[in-house]
Amino acid sequence: MFDYVEFFASQLDDLRGRGGYRTFLEVERLAGSFPAALKHGPGPGRRIRVWCSNDYLGMGQHPLVLEAMKRAVDESGAGSGGSRNISGNHRYHVELERELADLHGMESALVFPTGYAANDAALTVLASRLPGCVVLSDELNHASMIAGIRHSGAEKLIFRHNDMEHLEELLAGTDPAVPKIVALESVYSMESDVAPLARVAELARNYGAFTYLDEVHAVGMYGPRGAGKAAELGLQGRFDVVQGTLAKAFGAAGGYIAGPASVVDAVRSFASAFIFTTSLPPAVTAGALAAVRHLKRSEKERSQLREKATLLHTLLRELGIPVVSDDAHIVPVLIGDSRACREVADELLERHGFYVQPINAPSVPPGTERLRVTPTPQHEDGEIVAFADALDDIWRRADLPRRLSVEPVA
């Protein structure tokens, strides 16, 4: 008889043997003290500093966001009560969608419980409903985009990361009469690089392709009012659908798409991942709404983030600590080995109280393992210097190579 339990245990043993087994640190965020947190585990909790949060601007701790969430709990209780179709269409959902459509200069927007669900649902519907659709996808697109394309059943052509010559070659080789979707991200979080958005928009127009732009690592942090990288580059309106998240710069939870009314309504009407799931709780939606409204008006947080990220990038460059790219606010410190990546992260935590989660395959290709470091406006300059010095000390004692190539191991 087949031993199912033993089979999965052996799978996990193999993963541990390759150094790819993931462990989760039990962290308690401290309201009003971000990026400070308590690390729980054996013994009393230890105070640490978080260097890998996706709460890029610290909006998850902002007084306006917290006040909005508390008020919504008092008004509406905890849960939403159901799916958007069955009693769960709260006024906060409607107000938030109006704000997001306005943020991106679009006719309409649709909010989902997660950014993953937004990508999966939207791409599933768009690519499956367009007759004979071909999707052209950047090779480093997020797993949620890959899932949506796969679930659509559409033909997929993968172009090399940010390689516009390859994208044009694939577009030129596709039947002009066939519907085409170019799917990409604006800021790639594991690389911290930015797509050549102007060229993508130009190619899409020349070849009659529909564009789907994931801006999850850009909304709130770039562009006028935090509308994202496309807006920052003067390209707002050049992409058909923009997808974003409420869980990163906006500090809450959830995802969304914004685009033409008929396109957004088609996703609302046909996406199982939207129709058959409980909507975001009113308090979460209210918090996201407060964050979006605040960041439309305030440049302070975006300016501070640029300053902190630039400081850390500069320090690591001077020390020869290899960083994949410095195009964006994320600082991906390249190590290139899963075991060494885990060891560096452990030493940062145990010796210095700096928490950074190691990023191993399959999140990144084998041989490009890294620490994905995210300085925020709340990190003081002195502790940014201390973090760089700690990395330099670990690099020296472990004799790790400096300025590694970012090419993955074959």
Side-chain angles (χ1 to χ4, degrees), residues 13 60 74 83 94 124 130 186 222 288 321 353 403:
D13 287 341
D74 289 339
S83 68
V94 177
T124 296
L130 289 168
S186 60
Y222 297 93
I321 304 295
R403 296 191 179 91

Side-chain angles (χ1 to χ4, degrees), residues 47-94:
R47 199 175 179 93
I48 60 172
R49 303 291 282 182
V50 177
W51 284 87
C52 56
S53 175
N54 282 342
D55 189 0
Y56 293 136
L57 298 176
M59 290 302 295
Q61 306 284 326
H62 196 284
L64 288 175
V65 175
L66 301 185
E67 289 167 12
M69 295 186 74
K70 292 172 185 175
R71 185 168 58 250
V73 167
D74 289 339
E75 293 172 351
S76 303
S80 68
S83 68
R84 293 285 291 277
N85 187 53
I86 304 177
S87 83
N89 190 41
H90 199 279
R91 69 180 179 90
Y92 287 124
H93 297 124
V94 177

Side-chain angles (χ1 to χ4, degrees), residues 187-265:
V187 175
Y188 287 83
S189 70
M190 294 303 169
E191 310 298 307
S192 195
D193 61 351
V194 179
L197 297 179
R199 182 59 176 154
V200 172
E202 179 184 25
L203 287 173
R205 183 184 63 236
N206 292 345
Y207 289 92
F210 186 94
T211 47
Y212 185 96
L213 180 64
D214 178 318
E215 289 252 43
V216 297
H217 297 284
V219 291
M221 294 168 289
Y222 297 93
R225 306 190 303 160
K229 268 292 177 183
E232 181 183 67
L233 297 171
L235 300 169
Q236 187 158 318
R238 298 284 300 278
F239 291 86
D240 296 295
V241 169
V242 171
Q243 184 266 351
T245 184
L246 304 166
K248 294 181 171 60
F250 297 125
Y256 66 90
I257 61 168
S262 62
V263 174
V264 173
D265 198 15

Side-chain angles (χ1 to χ4, degrees), residues 33-37 47-51 353-355 378-379 383:
S33 299
F34 181 76
R47 199 175 179 93
I48 60 172
R49 303 291 282 182
V50 177
W51 284 87
F354 298 148
Y355 168 45
Q378 290 73 29
H379 286 91
E383 67 177 316

Side-chain angles (χ1 to χ4, degrees), residues 44 47 150 253 261 397:
R47 199 175 179 93
R150 183 175 66 249
R397 288 186 295 99

Side-chain angles (χ1 to χ4, degrees), residues 26 57 64 99 112 138 176 241 295 327 347 367:
E26 185 180 349
L57 298 176
L64 288 175
E99 289 286 350
F112 291 79
D138 188 290
V241 169
L295 290 173
D327 289 346
E347 187 162 353

Side-chain angles (χ1 to χ4, degrees), residues 272-387:
S272 295
F274 177 81
I275 296 169
F276 298 106
T277 194
T278 302
S279 64
L280 281 174
V284 174
T285 315
L289 177 61
V292 171
R293 286 174 171 166
H294 174 75
L295 290 173
K296 280 183 172 182
R297 301 187 302 266
S298 176
E299 284 293 331
K300 181 180 74 171
E301 292 83 1
R302 286 188 281 277
S303 176
Q304 290 176 335
L305 178 63
R306 286 192 297 269
E307 292 172 2
K308 304 299 183 178
T310 298
L311 174 59
L312 184 54
H313 274 299
T314 300
L315 291 171
L316 296 184
R317 189 184 309 114
E318 292 172 350
L319 293 168
I321 304 295
V323 173
V324 178
S325 171
D326 60 2
D327 289 346
H329 61 283
I330 302 163
V331 185
V333 177
L334 186 64
I335 296 175
D337 177 84
S338 60
R339 292 181 186 278
C341 198
R342 175 80 266 173
E343 290 167 0
V344 171
D346 287 346
E347 187 162 353
L348 281 171
L349 182 63
E350 298 306 321
R351 288 175 60 92
H352 303 281
F354 298 148
Y355 168 45
V356 187
Q357 188 70 14
I359 306 296
N360 296 326
S363 297
V364 295
T368 69
E369 291 82 2
R370 65 201 63 183
L371 303 177
R372 183 181 172 278
V373 184
T374 54
T376 71
Q378 290 73 29
H379 286 91
E380 300 291 341
D381 288 357
E383 67 177 316
I384 293 176
V385 172
F387 182 84

